[in-house]
Amino acid sequence: MGVPLTTVSAGALEVDAAHSKVEFTVPHMVIASVTGRFDKFEGTSKFDEKTGRLTDLVVKIKTDSINTNDEKRNGHLKSPDFFDAEKNPAITFAGSGSVVLRPGVPTKLSGTLTLRGISKQIGLTVTYKGSVKDPSGALKYVFEANTKINRKDFGIIWNKPLDNGGVLIGEDVKIQIAVEANPTS
């Protein structure tokens, strides 16, 4: 039996960053991969649990909060070779319109991802996990989302050839997001 859901009417939600994560995985040296995360981000939306309608989703990620557990690599990723964090301090995603979510059912959500000043339409696969009250009685909504983008579509083209063929960094980047959200109204 699943976690009991607590139903409330439509309202604004805000990401609880302390209980959420934005991670990515990129191919490295053809047969390996590197995983990283962004440590600073925020997001808001409107959600009506009765109808499952999610609207007005806006997410902002601080580019210079990238963390791959390697300071040298983090510095290179913040440079103009990759995210150019000084000129592009935020990565944003704005959902297009609305989508109806059902607990446990993956659903496509379209929106605009802006990275390095380049905006492209992408699709996220979002799964609404449900709602629950935490031990202090605060209501939490839980969502997971994932997508895959091609980094070259956003002007991230730096690479190095390998002696045995192939390149140091793959083009496809998998993005995984897990969110606990708090009602704000």
Side-chain angles (χ1 to χ4, degrees):
M1 187 166 211
V3 175
L5 299 179
T6 304
T7 303
V8 299
S9 61
L13 297 180
E14 182 176 78
V15 170
D16 176 354
H19 295 103
S20 301
K21 63 183 177 179
V22 176
E23 297 179 325
F24 62 89
T25 304
V26 64
H28 184 248
M29 297 195 313
V30 183
I31 60 173
S33 62
V34 169
T35 299
R37 67 184 183 273
F38 290 93
D39 292 330
K40 296 180 183 174
F41 51 88
E42 58 191 44
T44 58
S45 69
K46 291 182 182 162
F47 183 63
D48 185 333
E49 190 169 18
K50 288 181 182 177
T51 65
R53 186 159 306 282
L54 178 77
T55 60
D56 302 329
L57 176 64
V58 177
V59 177
K60 182 178 178 183
I61 300 165
K62 292 194 79 164
T63 310
D64 68 359
S65 74
I66 194 164
N67 187 343
T68 62
N69 295 321
D70 182 299
E71 286 304 316
K72 184 177 177 183
R73 180 172 45 222
N74 294 346
H76 191 201
L77 290 170
K78 293 175 190 179
S79 80
D81 286 342
F82 289 92
F83 290 102
D84 201 359
E86 190 172 314
K87 289 183 181 174
N88 301 285
I91 300 165
T92 61
F93 178 81
S96 301
S98 67
V99 66
V100 175
L101 302 174
R102 298 284 177 234
V105 179
T107 305
K108 280 288 188 195
L109 169 67
S110 296
T112 303
L113 178 67
T114 302
L115 175 60
R116 283 185 57 108
I118 299 170
S119 297
K120 299 272 184 189
Q121 284 290 118
I122 68 163
L124 290 176
T125 300
V126 180
T127 303
Y128 172 49
K129 306 291 281 186
S131 65
V132 65
K133 287 189 177 182
D134 70 13
S136 69
L139 186 60
K140 301 285 186 174
Y141 294 89
V142 180
F143 304 87
E144 291 180 351
N146 62 69
T147 193
K148 182 169 67 171
I149 62 170
N150 185 313
R151 65 188 181 90
K152 287 186 172 184
D153 291 344
F154 296 91
I156 302 174
I157 59 172
W158 185 92
N159 223 332
K160 292 279 185 184
L162 299 174
D163 290 343
N164 295 334
V167 290
L168 184 64
I169 304 167
E171 294 177 13
D172 290 333
V173 180
K174 294 179 185 174
I175 301 169
Q176 305 89 26
I177 303 163
V179 171
E180 282 187 25
N182 304 318
T184 60
S185 58

